[in-house]
Amino acid sequence: MNTTMVLTSVLIVAFFAIMIGIGINSRKHATDVNGFVLGSRSVGPWLSAFAYGTSYFSAVIFVGYAGQFGWAFGVASTWIGLGNAFIGSLLAWSILGRRTRIMTQHLGSKTMPDFFGNRFNSKPLKVAASVITFCFLIPYTASLYNGLSRLFAMAFGGIDYSVCVIVMAVLTGIYVVVGGYMATAINDFIQGMIMLVGIVAVILAVLKDNGGLMAAMEGLTKGDNGGWAYASFLGPQPFFLLIVVLLTSLGTWGLPQMVGKFYAIKNEDSIKKGTVISTIFAIIVAGGCYFLGGFGRLYNVDVKANGFDAIIPTMLSTLSPVIIAVVIVLVLSASMSTLSSLVLTSGSTITLDFIEPMAKKKFDEKKKMLIMRAFIVVFIAISAAIAIKQATNKSIFIAQMMGVSWGALAGAFLAPFLYGLYWKKVTKAAVVFSFIFGVGLETVQLCVSLGWLSVANSPVLSFVFTNSLYSGVFAMIGGLILVPVVSKLTQKTKPEGVDKMFECYDRTKVVEITDSLGD
């Protein structure tokens, strides 16, 4: 066993021991649905911010997106990470954080589908949203296994891909099933610290490996590396760069596993601090990942034969055993934090928003908990099976899989959720239209990506469905335009009692003189 394998094995064993220990220790917070799903709405700013950030950035970002877009844009891909920080984190917390926390508590909503059901007085909307969430989080989860397993194969000399997927799935399932949201939040904090230290160490190592920053930048302009455009401010494809920034940044506003972090945050002060912490975290982690990916062209990677997902592992394979071990734990941390958030979101929404509403008898807390835990296991098993199967299909890269998931979820949910928090006149018909538009567009995209459908004969459709990134942005922007238009035309389907729902924003809170000096 070589040095890399020994160091990596030691760090991974320690990592998993800590994660499982936290899961077991957190089981006292997971005795009822509110504690299991939301941590009893008592999660502080640091845990909330790190939970948001680590759910945002995973192996999909580090291996898939950083590799593919670093190759496409060069160092200009750093703009994607900055977009994630300022649009996906700062603006998301500022615009959604406070209102989401207040209204969801007022309505008694525990999940995003639950919000749609309560906000629009519609059980069918709640059920439909839960089905969309469950179905489209599966390919997202599968892409996490894919990215991580490629790095494991690099570090452990070709270890079987299936073994990596199964081990990761089982260990994640244990601490989520046992400890619920609080276990994921505490683990996310630890995993986030590893990500912060790890990404800085990796960037410094890669730059040193290429003679420093200036030498690496100069290298991008030479020979077969692409020319000056890959070391320029906006890269060779500025419009495509903008598309990627929009999907990966604005898209988080409509993702159930991301918005759910605002449900659980403790108080006003936690939201303010969490906004700053989350933004700084994103600048370092996301900005660092994409900046690192921008130097992928300095390495001899056969993209046509091995795909874009091989770029980052190839870059890292030349580094020292210590750095490789750090990278494995870094990506493991990023992936497991996102994975735990996804499986918790999926298991809770399918139980609370689909099975329970469809059942004839109301479930007690014990039965809800049992069903949620069972579906967490089912979700992990399905996504792991898809990940193993997908590994043999070189035509679908990690970024494509994730793009379809993000596009469908954000296209369906972003507009009605955002407008639903701020505007009383959003109608049920508009929400239904948004669901159909977002899911329909990405279902067509999935068929195109799999080769089941061809749009080559239509210039317009060819542009929209160039890849899942384009169609995902069209789904989000289309929803933001269509929801207010359809609402204006369908006011007869406006839910009753909206004024009472919005009273939660008008309540007066009396504070101590030590907290406010007054006039």
Side-chain angles (χ1 to χ4, degrees):
M1 184 178 287
N2 60 39
T3 306
T4 300
M5 292 178 67
V6 172
L7 283 172
T8 305
S9 298
V10 170
L11 288 177
I12 288 175
V13 170
F15 175 84
F16 279 128
I18 293 171
M19 297 303 104
I20 299 300
I22 289 172
I24 294 172
N25 188 59
S26 299
R27 67 188 185 279
K28 60 179 177 290
H29 298 287
T31 55
D32 58 19
V33 172
N34 191 48
F36 188 81
V37 177
L38 298 176
S40 302
R41 297 187 191 265
S42 61
V43 185
W46 285 91
L47 292 185
S48 294
F50 273 66
Y52 186 91
T54 54
S55 296
Y56 197 164
F57 311 117
S58 64
V60 176
I61 300 293
F62 189 78
V63 178
Y65 276 20
Q68 178 173 340
F69 300 132
W71 189 271
F73 307 126
V75 291
S77 62
T78 307
W79 284 111
I80 305 172
L82 296 179
N84 294 170
F86 294 108
I87 300 174
S89 296
L90 179 62
L91 276 182
W93 276 74
S94 300
I95 293 174
L96 297 180
R98 186 174 183 275
R99 284 202 165 230
T100 299
R101 175 64 174 81
I102 293 171
M103 183 168 276
T104 56
Q105 184 173 25
H106 180 66
L107 297 177
S109 302
K110 295 181 177 65
T111 64
M112 183 176 273
D114 197 19
F115 170 83
F116 288 125
N118 294 335
R119 169 66 178 82
F120 298 100
N121 292 330
S122 175
K123 189 176 180 180
L125 281 180
K126 178 178 180 177
V127 172
S130 70
V131 173
I132 294 170
T133 300
F134 189 81
C135 291
F136 283 95
L137 283 184
I138 288 176
Y140 186 176
T141 308
S143 65
L144 295 180
Y145 294 121
N146 192 333
L148 182 66
S149 298
R150 288 177 184 271
L151 287 180
F152 266 80
M154 175 199 74
F156 290 100
I159 188 172
D160 187 75
Y161 174 83
S162 302
V163 173
C164 296
V165 171
I166 292 169
V167 170
M168 181 180 173
V170 170
L171 293 172
T172 303
I174 291 173
Y175 83 74
V176 175
V177 167
V178 174
Y181 184 86
M182 191 58 73
T184 66
I186 296 172
N187 277 329
D188 286 348
F189 179 76
I190 295 172
Q191 291 159 354
M193 295 302 295
I194 294 171
M195 290 165 66
L196 287 171
V197 174
I199 193 63
V200 172
V202 173
I203 290 172
L204 293 176
V206 168
L207 290 178
K208 182 180 179 182
D209 194 45
N210 287 280
L213 176 59
M214 297 310 296
M217 293 286 284
E218 186 178 351
L220 288 175
T221 67
K222 294 181 178 179
D224 298 329
N225 292 332
W228 67 269
Y230 292 92
S232 66
F233 189 68
L234 293 177
Q237 304 176 74
F239 179 73
F240 186 30
L241 178 61
L242 176 62
I243 291 290
V244 177
V245 170
L246 288 176
L247 178 69
T248 60
S249 302
L250 190 60
T252 59
W253 294 31
L255 299 182
Q257 76 276 14
M258 302 296 295
V259 175
K261 302 299 183 289
F262 301 136
Y263 288 41
I265 199 163
K266 187 175 182 179
N267 52 31
E268 186 86 21
D269 184 60
S270 295
I271 294 174
K272 293 176 181 177
K273 291 178 181 177
T275 302
V276 176
I277 297 167
S278 177
T279 303
I280 294 172
F281 182 89
I283 290 172
I284 297 172
V285 174
C289 284
Y290 287 109
F291 176 73
L292 176 68
F295 297 102
R297 286 178 173 267
L298 297 177
Y299 296 80
N300 185 24
V301 183
D302 189 344
V303 172
K304 290 185 178 179
N306 301 310
F308 292 111
D309 303 338
I311 294 172
I312 297 297
T314 301
M315 292 176 65
L316 301 176
S317 64
T318 63
L319 303 181
S320 69
V322 174
I323 294 297
I324 291 177
V326 169
V327 170
I328 297 299
V329 178
L330 181 162
V331 181
L332 182 63
S333 299
S335 298
M336 289 194 66
S337 57
T338 305
L339 180 60
S340 63
S341 178
L342 293 173
V343 299
L344 184 59
T345 299
S346 301
S348 59
T349 196
I350 203 69
T351 303
L352 302 176
D353 307 321
F354 182 77
I355 294 177
E356 186 181 23
M358 302 291 281
K360 294 181 179 179
K361 293 183 179 180
K362 192 173 181 179
F363 296 157
D364 58 25
E365 290 287 303
K366 186 176 181 180
K367 191 167 186 178
K368 288 179 189 177
M369 296 288 290
L370 180 63
I371 295 173
M372 267 193 289
R373 286 178 163 127
F375 269 99
I376 284 172
V377 174
V378 169
F379 181 86
I380 289 175
I382 293 173
S383 55
I386 291 175
I388 293 171
K389 178 67 177 176
Q390 189 271 337
T392 62
N393 189 347
K394 299 292 184 183
S395 65
I396 302 179
F397 305 114
I398 293 177
Q400 285 286 321
M401 291 184 67
M402 186 171 172
V404 169
S405 298
W406 277 42
L409 292 167
F413 296 154
L414 190 157
F417 184 78
L418 176 61
Y419 288 126
L421 291 174
Y422 280 87
W423 191 36
K424 296 179 181 180
K425 294 184 178 181
V426 183
T427 64
K428 297 178 186 179
V431 179
V432 171
F433 203 92
S434 181
F435 284 7
I436 294 172
F437 180 75
V439 171
L441 204 65
E442 288 309 302
T443 300
V444 173
Q445 177 65 68
L446 184 61
C447 293
V448 172
S449 297
L450 292 171
W452 298 345
L453 181 67
S454 175
V455 293
N457 295 327
S458 171
V460 175
L461 292 179
S462 295
F463 177 73
V464 173
F465 298 108
T466 298
N467 59 44
S468 59
L469 305 172
Y470 277 78
S471 60
V473 170
F474 280 112
M476 289 188 297
I477 295 176
L480 290 170
I481 295 170
L482 290 170
V483 166
V485 172
V486 175
S487 292
K488 286 290 187 181
L489 299 173
T490 59
Q491 279 298 295
K492 289 183 179 180
T493 65
K494 177 185 171 183
E496 297 179 358
V498 176
D499 289 335
K500 191 172 182 179
M501 295 179 193
F502 275 72
E503 286 177 358
C504 62
Y505 298 136
D506 301 323
R507 289 181 301 183
T508 301
K509 180 180 179 181
V510 179
V511 299
E512 298 291 337
I513 195 69
T514 52
D515 297 323
S516 176
L517 294 175
D519 296 329

